[in-house]
Amino acid sequence: MALLFHSTNGQSPAVNLREALLLGLAPDRGLYLPERFPKLSFEEMAAFAKLPYHEIAFRVLSKFTEDIIPDADLSAMCRSAYNFPVPLEIVNVRVFLMRLDQGPTASFKDFAAQMMARMFGRFLKEDGRQVTILTATSGDTGAAVAHAFHKIPGVRVIVLFPAAEVSESQRKLMTVLKDNVRTVAVDGKFDDCQAMVKQAFADPALKHIPLSSANSINIGRLLPQSVYYFYAASRVAQAGEPVVFSIPSGNFGDMMGAVVAREMGLPVRKIIASVNDNDAFPKFLASGSYEKISPSRNSLSNAMNVGHPSNLARLVAVYGGQMDETGQLIKLPYLNAMRRDVFSTSISDARTVSGVREFWNNFQLLLEPHGAVAWQGFQDWTAVEPLGNSPAVLVETANPAKFPEEVEKVVGWAPDVPTNMLASLRLPEDFDRMDAEYSTFRDYLIERHKG
Ligand SMILES: *Cc1c(COP(=O)(O)O)cnc(C)c1O
Protein backbone atom coordinates (compact mmCIF):
# COMPACT_ATOMS: atom_id res chain seq x y z
CA MET A 1 0.00 0.00 0.00
CA ALA A 2 1.39 3.37 -1.02
CA LEU A 3 2.02 5.91 1.70
CA LEU A 4 -0.86 8.36 2.01
CA PHE A 5 -0.71 12.12 2.47
CA HIS A 6 -3.32 14.07 4.37
CA SER A 7 -4.13 17.77 4.52
CA THR A 8 -3.15 19.95 7.49
CA ASN A 9 -6.70 21.35 7.40
CA GLY A 10 -8.10 17.84 7.86
CA GLN A 11 -11.07 18.28 5.49
CA SER A 12 -9.78 16.64 2.29
CA PRO A 13 -9.36 12.91 1.63
CA ALA A 14 -5.88 11.44 1.96
CA VAL A 15 -4.12 10.88 -1.38
CA ASN A 16 -0.93 9.25 -2.58
CA LEU A 17 2.23 11.15 -3.46
CA ARG A 18 1.30 11.34 -7.11
CA GLU A 19 -2.02 13.10 -6.43
CA ALA A 20 -0.53 15.31 -3.71
CA LEU A 21 2.17 16.45 -6.08
CA LEU A 22 -0.15 17.17 -9.00
CA LEU A 23 -2.67 18.99 -6.78
CA GLY A 24 -0.13 21.11 -4.89
CA LEU A 25 -2.59 22.57 -2.44
CA ALA A 26 -5.21 20.22 -0.95
CA PRO A 27 -8.83 21.02 -1.92
CA ASP A 28 -9.48 22.28 1.64
CA ARG A 29 -6.57 24.72 1.15
CA GLY A 30 -4.38 22.79 3.59
CA LEU A 31 -0.87 21.42 2.95
CA TYR A 32 -0.10 17.76 2.39
CA LEU A 33 1.92 15.82 4.95
CA PRO A 34 2.61 12.07 5.05
CA GLU A 35 0.29 10.18 7.41
CA ARG A 36 3.36 8.68 9.01
CA PHE A 37 7.03 9.29 8.33
CA PRO A 38 8.89 6.30 6.91
CA LYS A 39 11.95 5.45 9.03
CA LEU A 40 15.55 4.82 8.10
CA SER A 41 17.43 2.38 10.30
CA PHE A 42 20.77 3.09 11.97
CA GLU A 43 22.44 0.73 9.48
CA GLU A 44 20.81 2.39 6.47
CA MET A 45 22.02 5.81 7.61
CA ALA A 46 25.49 4.54 8.57
CA ALA A 47 25.91 3.32 4.98
CA PHE A 48 25.39 6.90 3.67
CA ALA A 49 28.93 7.87 4.71
CA LYS A 50 30.33 6.14 1.63
CA LEU A 51 27.60 6.97 -0.87
CA PRO A 52 27.40 9.85 -3.36
CA TYR A 53 24.63 12.45 -3.01
CA HIS A 54 22.38 11.06 -5.74
CA GLU A 55 22.42 7.59 -4.15
CA ILE A 56 21.47 9.00 -0.73
CA ALA A 57 18.68 10.92 -2.47
CA PHE A 58 17.45 7.68 -4.01
CA ARG A 59 17.49 5.79 -0.71
CA VAL A 60 15.64 8.55 1.15
CA LEU A 61 13.07 9.38 -1.53
CA SER A 62 12.31 5.76 -2.39
CA LYS A 63 10.69 5.49 1.06
CA PHE A 64 7.98 7.82 -0.28
CA THR A 65 7.65 6.58 -3.86
CA GLU A 66 6.98 2.90 -3.24
CA ASP A 67 4.27 1.65 -5.65
CA ILE A 68 4.42 4.97 -7.51
CA ILE A 69 7.82 5.14 -9.19
CA PRO A 70 9.84 1.95 -9.88
CA ASP A 71 13.19 2.00 -8.07
CA ALA A 72 15.25 1.82 -11.26
CA ASP A 73 13.46 4.89 -12.63
CA LEU A 74 13.76 6.87 -9.41
CA SER A 75 17.44 6.03 -9.26
CA ALA A 76 17.95 7.39 -12.79
CA MET A 77 15.97 10.54 -11.90
CA CYS A 78 18.19 11.17 -8.85
CA ARG A 79 21.33 10.61 -10.89
CA SER A 80 20.36 13.18 -13.53
CA ALA A 81 18.88 15.72 -11.07
CA TYR A 82 21.88 15.74 -8.72
CA ASN A 83 24.87 15.87 -11.01
CA PHE A 84 26.55 18.81 -9.22
CA PRO A 85 28.72 18.97 -6.09
CA VAL A 86 27.43 19.73 -2.56
CA PRO A 87 30.46 21.25 -0.81
CA LEU A 88 30.88 21.13 2.97
CA GLU A 89 33.58 23.61 3.94
CA ILE A 90 35.19 23.52 7.36
CA VAL A 91 34.61 26.69 9.35
CA ASN A 92 36.04 25.88 12.74
CA VAL A 93 36.79 22.51 14.38
CA ARG A 94 33.38 20.80 13.99
CA VAL A 95 31.41 23.64 12.41
CA PHE A 96 30.79 23.32 8.66
CA LEU A 97 29.31 25.42 5.89
CA MET A 98 27.14 23.48 3.43
CA ARG A 99 26.93 25.30 0.11
CA LEU A 100 23.69 24.48 -1.66
CA ASP A 101 24.58 26.79 -4.54
CA GLN A 102 26.12 24.59 -7.22
CA GLY A 103 22.94 23.77 -9.11
CA PRO A 104 21.94 25.36 -12.44
CA THR A 105 20.59 28.57 -10.85
CA ALA A 106 22.97 28.78 -7.88
CA SER A 107 20.37 28.64 -5.11
CA PHE A 108 19.19 25.79 -2.87
CA LYS A 109 15.84 25.88 -4.68
CA ASP A 110 17.44 23.82 -7.46
CA PHE A 111 17.47 20.76 -5.17
CA ALA A 112 13.70 20.70 -4.93
CA ALA A 113 12.83 22.03 -8.38
CA GLN A 114 15.03 19.55 -10.24
CA MET A 115 13.40 16.51 -8.63
CA MET A 116 9.89 17.90 -8.67
CA ALA A 117 10.10 18.65 -12.40
CA ARG A 118 11.15 15.08 -13.13
CA MET A 119 8.30 13.64 -11.06
CA PHE A 120 5.79 16.02 -12.64
CA GLY A 121 6.94 15.19 -16.14
CA ARG A 122 6.68 11.49 -15.42
CA PHE A 123 3.17 11.60 -13.93
CA LEU A 124 1.84 13.80 -16.74
CA LYS A 125 3.25 11.48 -19.36
CA GLU A 126 1.62 8.47 -17.67
CA ASP A 127 -1.71 10.32 -17.81
CA GLY A 128 -1.18 11.78 -21.28
CA ARG A 129 -1.90 15.18 -19.75
CA GLN A 130 -0.51 18.66 -20.27
CA VAL A 131 -0.32 21.52 -17.78
CA THR A 132 0.70 25.13 -17.63
CA ILE A 133 2.64 26.03 -14.51
CA LEU A 134 2.20 29.60 -13.31
CA THR A 135 4.82 30.97 -10.95
CA ALA A 136 5.21 34.40 -9.40
CA THR A 137 8.74 34.99 -8.22
CA SER A 138 10.80 37.53 -6.33
CA GLY A 139 13.89 36.03 -7.98
CA ASP A 140 15.22 32.61 -7.01
CA THR A 141 12.12 30.41 -7.30
CA GLY A 142 11.32 31.48 -10.85
CA ALA A 143 14.82 30.75 -12.05
CA ALA A 144 14.99 27.34 -10.37
CA VAL A 145 11.54 26.32 -11.62
CA ALA A 146 12.15 27.59 -15.16
CA HIS A 147 15.44 25.70 -15.44
CA ALA A 148 14.04 22.52 -13.92
CA PHE A 149 10.97 22.39 -16.20
CA HIS A 150 12.78 23.58 -19.31
CA LYS A 151 12.06 21.08 -22.12
CA ILE A 152 10.00 18.76 -19.89
CA PRO A 153 7.33 17.43 -22.29
CA GLY A 154 3.71 18.20 -21.41
CA VAL A 155 4.63 21.24 -19.33
CA ARG A 156 4.49 24.89 -20.22
CA VAL A 157 5.91 27.37 -17.70
CA ILE A 158 4.96 31.02 -17.30
CA VAL A 159 6.97 33.03 -14.78
CA LEU A 160 5.89 36.48 -13.59
CA PHE A 161 8.50 38.68 -11.96
CA PRO A 162 8.47 42.31 -10.76
CA ALA A 163 10.44 44.19 -13.44
CA ALA A 164 12.27 46.51 -11.06
CA GLU A 165 12.74 44.18 -8.09
CA VAL A 166 14.97 41.37 -9.34
CA SER A 167 18.73 41.63 -9.82
CA GLU A 168 20.23 41.45 -13.29
CA SER A 169 21.64 37.97 -12.77
CA GLN A 170 18.37 36.73 -11.29
CA ARG A 171 16.53 38.06 -14.35
CA LYS A 172 18.95 36.58 -16.86
CA LEU A 173 18.71 33.15 -15.25
CA MET A 174 15.01 33.16 -16.17
CA THR A 175 14.83 35.05 -19.43
CA VAL A 176 17.44 33.23 -21.51
CA LEU A 177 15.37 30.05 -21.61
CA LYS A 178 13.01 29.53 -24.50
CA ASP A 179 10.99 26.56 -25.78
CA ASN A 180 8.32 25.79 -23.16
CA VAL A 181 9.36 28.58 -20.76
CA ARG A 182 7.98 32.11 -20.99
CA THR A 183 8.93 34.93 -18.61
CA VAL A 184 6.93 38.10 -18.08
CA ALA A 185 8.30 41.30 -16.53
CA VAL A 186 5.44 42.92 -14.65
CA ASP A 187 5.46 46.67 -14.00
CA GLY A 188 4.60 46.19 -10.37
CA LYS A 189 5.69 44.55 -7.15
CA PHE A 190 6.09 40.89 -6.25
CA ASP A 191 2.74 41.08 -4.46
CA ASP A 192 1.09 42.16 -7.75
CA CYS A 193 2.60 39.16 -9.56
CA GLN A 194 1.39 36.82 -6.86
CA ALA A 195 -2.10 38.34 -6.89
CA MET A 196 -2.31 37.95 -10.70
CA VAL A 197 -1.35 34.28 -10.48
CA LYS A 198 -3.83 33.64 -7.67
CA GLN A 199 -6.61 35.32 -9.61
CA ALA A 200 -5.86 33.21 -12.69
CA PHE A 201 -6.32 30.02 -10.66
CA ALA A 202 -9.75 31.21 -9.52
CA ASP A 203 -10.90 32.62 -12.89
CA PRO A 204 -13.79 30.70 -14.55
CA ALA A 205 -12.77 32.25 -17.89
CA LEU A 206 -9.59 30.13 -17.76
CA LYS A 207 -11.30 26.86 -16.81
CA HIS A 208 -10.30 25.33 -20.17
CA ILE A 209 -6.58 25.78 -19.40
CA PRO A 210 -5.11 23.16 -17.04
CA LEU A 211 -3.18 25.35 -14.62
CA SER A 212 -0.79 24.14 -11.95
CA SER A 213 1.74 25.66 -9.59
CA ALA A 214 5.20 24.75 -8.40
CA ASN A 215 5.39 26.89 -5.31
CA SER A 216 6.99 26.02 -2.02
CA ILE A 217 3.86 24.52 -0.50
CA ASN A 218 4.03 21.54 -2.88
CA ILE A 219 5.04 18.34 -1.08
CA GLY A 220 7.15 17.55 -4.16
CA ARG A 221 9.40 20.43 -3.23
CA LEU A 222 9.59 19.58 0.44
CA LEU A 223 10.71 15.94 0.39
CA PRO A 224 13.87 16.44 -1.72
CA GLN A 225 14.92 19.11 0.79
CA SER A 226 15.32 16.47 3.50
CA VAL A 227 18.08 14.72 1.56
CA TYR A 228 20.89 17.22 2.07
CA TYR A 229 20.52 16.95 5.85
CA PHE A 230 21.13 13.20 5.67
CA TYR A 231 24.02 13.88 3.34
CA ALA A 232 25.60 16.52 5.60
CA ALA A 233 25.30 14.32 8.69
CA SER A 234 26.89 11.42 6.84
CA ARG A 235 29.92 13.61 6.05
CA VAL A 236 30.45 15.52 9.32
CA ALA A 237 29.17 13.21 12.09
CA GLN A 238 29.70 9.68 13.31
CA ALA A 239 26.75 7.39 12.66
CA GLY A 240 24.11 8.15 15.31
CA GLU A 241 25.73 11.38 16.45
CA PRO A 242 23.25 14.30 16.67
CA VAL A 243 23.96 17.33 14.45
CA VAL A 244 23.02 21.01 14.81
CA PHE A 245 21.64 22.65 11.64
CA SER A 246 21.36 26.40 11.18
CA ILE A 247 18.98 27.32 8.36
CA PRO A 248 18.12 30.79 7.01
CA SER A 249 14.33 30.75 6.75
CA GLY A 250 11.55 32.53 4.89
CA ASN A 251 8.70 30.23 3.93
CA PHE A 252 10.18 27.49 6.15
CA GLY A 253 10.41 24.88 3.39
CA ASP A 254 14.14 24.42 3.88
CA MET A 255 13.87 24.02 7.67
CA MET A 256 10.91 21.64 7.20
CA GLY A 257 13.30 19.46 5.18
CA ALA A 258 15.36 19.12 8.36
CA VAL A 259 12.21 18.34 10.36
CA VAL A 260 11.28 15.62 7.85
CA ALA A 261 14.81 14.15 8.10
CA ARG A 262 14.51 14.12 11.89
CA GLU A 263 11.09 12.47 11.74
CA MET A 264 12.61 9.82 9.47
CA GLY A 265 15.19 9.02 12.13
CA LEU A 266 18.16 11.34 11.54
CA PRO A 267 19.65 12.29 14.91
CA VAL A 268 19.34 16.10 15.11
CA ARG A 269 20.37 18.03 18.20
CA LYS A 270 18.85 21.37 17.21
CA ILE A 271 17.29 23.04 14.20
CA ILE A 272 18.09 26.75 14.20
CA ALA A 273 15.59 28.61 12.01
CA SER A 274 16.89 32.14 11.66
CA VAL A 275 14.74 34.82 10.07
CA ASN A 276 15.33 38.45 9.05
CA ASP A 277 13.11 41.29 10.30
CA ASN A 278 10.07 39.15 9.53
CA ASP A 279 9.99 37.74 13.03
CA ALA A 280 6.51 36.20 13.34
CA PHE A 281 7.94 32.73 14.06
CA PRO A 282 10.49 33.51 16.81
CA LYS A 283 7.79 35.56 18.54
CA PHE A 284 5.35 32.66 18.28
CA LEU A 285 7.88 30.15 19.60
CA ALA A 286 8.53 32.39 22.59
CA SER A 287 4.95 33.41 23.38
CA GLY A 288 2.62 30.82 21.85
CA SER A 289 0.60 33.49 20.09
CA TYR A 290 0.94 33.96 16.35
CA GLU A 291 0.62 37.22 14.48
CA LYS A 292 1.58 37.27 10.84
CA ILE A 293 3.38 40.31 9.49
CA SER A 294 1.53 42.17 6.77
CA PRO A 295 2.85 43.61 4.55
CA SER A 296 6.12 41.69 4.83
CA ARG A 297 9.22 43.70 5.75
CA ASN A 298 12.00 44.33 3.25
CA SER A 299 15.49 43.24 4.16
CA LEU A 300 18.85 42.39 2.60
CA SER A 301 18.09 38.66 2.62
CA ASN A 302 15.28 39.35 0.16
CA ALA A 303 14.34 35.72 -0.56
CA MET A 304 13.19 35.54 3.08
CA ASN A 305 10.91 38.60 3.08
CA VAL A 306 7.95 36.53 4.12
CA GLY A 307 5.41 37.84 6.62
CA HIS A 308 3.51 34.56 7.02
CA PRO A 309 5.65 31.46 6.36
CA SER A 310 3.38 29.08 4.45
CA ASN A 311 5.09 25.93 5.76
CA LEU A 312 4.37 26.87 9.36
CA ALA A 313 1.11 24.93 9.13
CA ARG A 314 3.21 21.80 8.55
CA LEU A 315 5.54 22.46 11.48
CA VAL A 316 2.56 23.06 13.75
CA ALA A 317 0.98 19.80 12.52
CA VAL A 318 4.13 17.77 13.22
CA TYR A 319 3.94 19.02 16.82
CA GLY A 320 0.30 18.06 17.26
CA GLY A 321 -1.35 21.41 16.52
CA GLN A 322 -3.37 22.85 13.67
CA MET A 323 -2.98 26.14 11.80
CA ASP A 324 -5.12 27.13 8.83
CA GLU A 325 -3.88 28.88 5.70
CA THR A 326 -4.63 32.33 7.09
CA GLY A 327 -2.38 31.75 10.10
CA GLN A 328 -5.25 31.11 12.52
CA LEU A 329 -4.27 28.60 15.23
CA ILE A 330 -7.08 26.05 15.52
CA LYS A 331 -5.11 23.97 17.99
CA LEU A 332 -1.90 24.93 19.78
CA PRO A 333 1.07 22.62 19.09
CA TYR A 334 3.19 21.13 21.91
CA LEU A 335 5.29 24.24 22.31
CA ASN A 336 7.76 22.79 24.77
CA ALA A 337 8.58 19.93 22.44
CA MET A 338 8.95 22.41 19.60
CA ARG A 339 11.28 24.57 21.71
CA ARG A 340 13.35 21.55 22.62
CA ASP A 341 13.95 20.77 18.94
CA VAL A 342 13.86 24.18 17.28
CA PHE A 343 15.53 27.51 18.10
CA SER A 344 14.59 30.70 16.27
CA THR A 345 15.94 34.22 16.21
CA SER A 346 15.53 37.39 14.14
CA ILE A 347 18.63 38.91 12.54
CA SER A 348 18.67 42.61 11.56
CA ASP A 349 20.21 43.90 8.33
CA ALA A 350 23.03 45.46 10.35
CA ARG A 351 23.91 42.07 11.83
CA THR A 352 23.54 40.44 8.41
CA VAL A 353 26.19 42.78 7.02
CA SER A 354 28.50 42.32 10.00
CA GLY A 355 28.00 38.56 9.66
CA VAL A 356 29.36 38.60 6.10
CA ARG A 357 32.30 40.71 7.27
CA GLU A 358 33.18 38.65 10.37
CA PHE A 359 32.88 35.37 8.52
CA TRP A 360 35.29 36.58 5.87
CA ASN A 361 37.73 38.12 8.37
CA ASN A 362 37.71 35.16 10.74
CA PHE A 363 37.47 32.18 8.41
CA GLN A 364 38.24 33.49 4.88
CA LEU A 365 34.93 32.07 3.71
CA LEU A 366 32.49 34.15 1.71
CA LEU A 367 28.79 34.35 2.64
CA GLU A 368 25.94 36.20 0.98
CA PRO A 369 23.15 37.80 3.09
CA HIS A 370 21.05 34.62 3.58
CA GLY A 371 24.03 32.57 4.74
CA ALA A 372 25.02 35.42 7.07
CA VAL A 373 21.60 35.17 8.74
CA ALA A 374 22.29 31.47 9.37
CA TRP A 375 25.69 32.29 10.87
CA GLN A 376 24.35 34.99 13.21
CA GLY A 377 21.46 32.72 14.27
CA PHE A 378 23.98 30.02 15.12
CA GLN A 379 25.89 32.51 17.28
CA ASP A 380 22.67 33.47 19.09
CA TRP A 381 21.98 29.82 19.84
CA THR A 382 25.48 29.02 21.12
CA ALA A 383 25.10 32.01 23.46
CA VAL A 384 22.28 30.16 25.26
CA GLU A 385 23.30 26.53 24.74
CA PRO A 386 27.00 25.67 24.45
CA LEU A 387 27.82 23.69 21.32
CA GLY A 388 30.28 21.44 23.16
CA ASN A 389 31.63 18.75 20.90
CA SER A 390 28.55 18.54 18.63
CA PRO A 391 29.01 18.83 14.88
CA ALA A 392 27.15 21.79 13.35
CA VAL A 393 26.21 22.63 9.77
CA LEU A 394 25.42 26.16 8.60
CA VAL A 395 23.33 26.18 5.45
CA GLU A 396 24.34 28.67 2.72
CA THR A 397 21.36 28.89 0.36
CA ALA A 398 22.70 30.98 -2.52
CA ASN A 399 25.93 31.77 -4.28
CA PRO A 400 27.54 35.08 -3.24
CA ALA A 401 27.74 36.00 -6.95
CA LYS A 402 23.94 36.38 -6.93
CA PHE A 403 24.39 39.35 -4.57
CA PRO A 404 27.50 41.08 -5.98
CA GLU A 405 26.73 44.61 -4.72
CA GLU A 406 25.96 43.57 -1.15
CA VAL A 407 29.06 41.39 -0.96
CA GLU A 408 31.38 43.93 -2.58
CA LYS A 409 30.26 46.66 -0.16
CA VAL A 410 31.44 44.50 2.73
CA VAL A 411 34.60 42.78 1.54
CA GLY A 412 35.72 45.25 -1.14
CA TRP A 413 35.57 42.96 -4.18
CA ALA A 414 32.90 41.25 -6.24
CA PRO A 415 32.65 37.46 -6.02
CA ASP A 416 33.51 35.28 -9.03
CA VAL A 417 30.54 34.14 -11.06
CA PRO A 418 30.35 30.33 -11.07
CA THR A 419 30.58 28.63 -14.46
CA ASN A 420 27.06 27.18 -14.20
CA MET A 421 25.69 30.74 -14.01
CA LEU A 422 28.08 32.23 -16.57
CA ALA A 423 26.63 30.13 -19.36
CA SER A 424 23.14 31.58 -18.76
CA LEU A 425 24.38 35.14 -18.36
CA ARG A 426 25.87 35.10 -21.86
CA LEU A 427 22.75 34.00 -23.74
CA PRO A 428 20.36 36.54 -25.29
CA GLU A 429 17.34 37.44 -23.17
CA ASP A 430 13.77 37.16 -24.37
CA PHE A 431 10.77 38.08 -22.25
CA ASP A 432 7.38 39.77 -22.39
CA ARG A 433 6.34 42.92 -20.54
CA MET A 434 3.01 43.61 -18.92
CA ASP A 435 1.31 46.13 -16.67
CA ALA A 436 0.07 44.86 -13.31
CA GLU A 437 -3.52 44.45 -14.54
CA TYR A 438 -5.14 41.08 -14.14
CA SER A 439 -7.24 41.47 -17.32
CA THR A 440 -4.03 41.89 -19.36
CA PHE A 441 -2.67 38.68 -17.90
CA ARG A 442 -5.90 36.82 -18.55
CA ASP A 443 -5.92 37.86 -22.22
CA TYR A 444 -2.26 36.86 -22.47
CA LEU A 445 -2.98 33.38 -21.13
CA ILE A 446 -5.98 32.88 -23.43
CA GLU A 447 -3.98 34.05 -26.45
CA ARG A 448 -1.08 31.68 -25.67
CA HIS A 449 -3.39 28.68 -25.29
CA LYS A 450 -5.26 29.03 -28.58
CA GLY A 451 -5.35 26.12 -30.95
C1 LIG B 1 13.96 30.77 -0.87
C2 LIG B 1 15.24 31.11 -0.21
C3 LIG B 1 15.40 31.05 1.19
C4 LIG B 1 14.26 30.70 2.13
O1 LIG B 1 13.90 29.36 2.05
P1 LIG B 1 12.50 28.88 2.66
O2 LIG B 1 12.38 27.46 2.31
O3 LIG B 1 11.46 29.73 1.99
O4 LIG B 1 12.57 29.13 4.13
C5 LIG B 1 16.63 31.33 1.74
N1 LIG B 1 17.67 31.68 0.95
C6 LIG B 1 17.56 31.77 -0.38
C7 LIG B 1 18.73 32.20 -1.17
C8 LIG B 1 16.36 31.48 -1.01
O5 LIG B 1 16.26 31.59 -2.36
Side-chain angles (χ1 to χ4, degrees):
M1 250 287 280
L3 183 64
L4 291 181
F5 292 74
H6 61 93
S7 162
T8 52
N9 281 350
Q11 304 295 316
S12 300
V15 296
N16 68 19
L17 177 62
R18 191 177 195 283
E19 298 305 312
L21 191 112
L22 291 173
L23 282 170
L25 201 64
D28 65 5
R29 311 198 58 75
L31 308 187
Y32 284 113
L33 261 185
E35 258 172 358
R36 59 179 169 80
F37 286 93
K39 304 286 180 204
L40 286 154
S41 69
F42 177 89
E43 289 74 23
E44 282 176 299
M45 286 186 281
F48 288 177
K50 293 201 174 67
L51 298 176
Y53 189 93
H54 65 81
E55 180 62 28
I56 296 174
F58 165 69
R59 293 187 187 198
V60 172
L61 296 177
S62 64
K63 303 272 175 189
F64 294 97
T65 56
E66 219 181 316
D67 294 343
I68 296 188
I69 305 174
D71 278 356
D73 295 1
L74 181 68
S75 173
M77 287 157 76
C78 289
R79 207 177 274 270
S80 73
Y82 302 117
N83 60 358
F84 49 86
V86 186
L88 278 153
E89 294 172 350
I90 184 153
V91 177
N92 187 13
V93 196
R94 298 203 77 192
V95 181
F96 296 83
L97 181 72
M98 175 160 63
R99 292 199 185 270
L100 301 178
D101 64 351
Q102 306 287 301
T105 69
S107 92
F108 90 98
K109 293 196 169 71
D110 287 324
F111 284 80
Q114 287 291 324
M115 180 49 62
M116 182 176 166
R118 283 166 173 79
M119 289 190 178
F120 236 91
R122 178 187 176 91
F123 297 153
L124 290 173
K125 191 171 161 205
E126 286 170 357
D127 292 358
R129 281 167 59 193
Q130 307 216 328
V131 295
T132 294
I133 290 181
L134 300 184
T135 301
T137 185
S138 55
D140 288 341
T141 298
V145 166
H147 274 258
F149 283 93
H150 186 220
K151 294 191 175 167
I152 297 254
V155 183
R156 197 195 279 248
V157 180
I158 296 177
V159 181
L160 266 58
F161 67 92
E165 285 181 16
V166 305
S167 74
E168 192 181 336
S169 64
Q170 280 177 322
R171 191 190 65 234
K172 285 187 176 169
L173 282 169
M174 301 185 269
T175 56
V176 297
L177 297 174
K178 309 216 164 62
D179 311 300
N180 61 333
V181 173
R182 211 50 228 167
T183 36
V184 183
V186 174
D187 290 316
K189 298 177 67 68
F190 168 65
D191 292 342
D192 297 318
C193 300
Q194 202 164 33
M196 287 158 79
V197 165
K198 274 198 177 154
Q199 217 172 327
F201 279 107
D203 188 348
L206 300 176
K207 268 281 170 278
H208 62 292
I209 305 174
L211 297 177
S212 186
S213 84
N215 58 18
S216 71
I217 50 96
N218 196 302
I219 190 75
R221 277 185 60 181
L222 197 63
L223 301 180
Q225 289 174 179
S226 67
V227 174
Y228 41 77
Y229 297 104
F230 285 103
Y231 171 81
S234 79
R235 296 314 197 259
V236 309
Q238 302 296 318
E241 189 183 25
V243 182
V244 175
F245 292 108
S246 182
I247 306 156
S249 297
N251 255 325
F252 281 53
D254 198 0
M255 80 78 75
M256 274 310 292
V259 172
V260 169
R262 204 180 62 83
E263 293 294 318
M264 294 178 76
L266 184 71
V268 175
R269 180 171 160 200
K270 205 84 180 187
I271 294 170
I272 303 166
S274 310
V275 299
N276 55 30
D277 279 332
N278 293 281
D279 58 357
F281 179 68
K283 285 203 166 135
F284 166 63
L285 196 59
S287 70
S289 70
Y290 181 71
E291 251 176 77
K292 60 183 172 187
I293 292 164
S294 178
S296 59
R297 298 171 185 151
N298 285 339
S299 76
L300 284 177
S301 49
N302 61 10
M304 313 198 307
N305 292 343
V306 179
H308 170 44
S310 46
N311 275 293
L312 210 51
R314 284 194 171 110
L315 183 69
V316 166
V318 166
Y319 286 89
Q322 193 180 5
M323 178 185 269
D324 74 11
E325 69 280 4
T326 67
Q328 177 98 9
L329 271 166
I330 315 289
K331 181 170 175 241
L332 208 62
Y334 301 113
L335 275 174
N336 284 334
M338 202 188 271
R339 289 176 188 136
R340 181 196 62 213
D341 298 340
V342 180
F343 175 85
S344 187
T345 177
S346 162
I347 307 297
S348 66
D349 276 357
R351 288 191 65 205
T352 303
V353 170
S354 65
V356 175
R357 182 179 299 116
E358 277 168 30
F359 212 72
W360 176 253
N361 289 343
N362 295 341
F363 312 116
Q364 277 75 60
L365 292 172
L366 196 58
L367 295 176
E368 52 70 59
H370 304 82
V373 168
W375 163 241
Q376 294 287 30
F378 176 68
Q379 307 238 81
D380 286 0
W381 176 70
T382 52
V384 294
E385 233 180 279
L387 178 64
N389 191 36
S390 293
V393 176
L394 316 172
V395 177
E396 174 52 290
T397 46
N399 192 283
K402 277 192 139 177
F403 300 88
E405 291 95 29
E406 288 84 349
V407 172
E408 185 166 5
K409 248 185 251 163
V410 175
V411 296
W413 42 269
D416 288 342
V417 179
T419 40
N420 52 353
M421 258 172 80
L422 264 185
S424 290
L425 300 185
R426 288 197 181 120
L427 294 170
E429 290 186 78
D430 182 17
F431 58 94
D432 299 319
R433 298 200 69 113
M434 195 179 288
D435 52 26
E437 283 299 327
Y438 174 67
S439 58
T440 316
F441 184 46
R442 176 177 53 205
D443 295 346
Y444 176 88
L445 286 174
I446 290 171
E447 187 56 38
R448 293 196 75 85
H449 289 83
K450 274 202 179 130

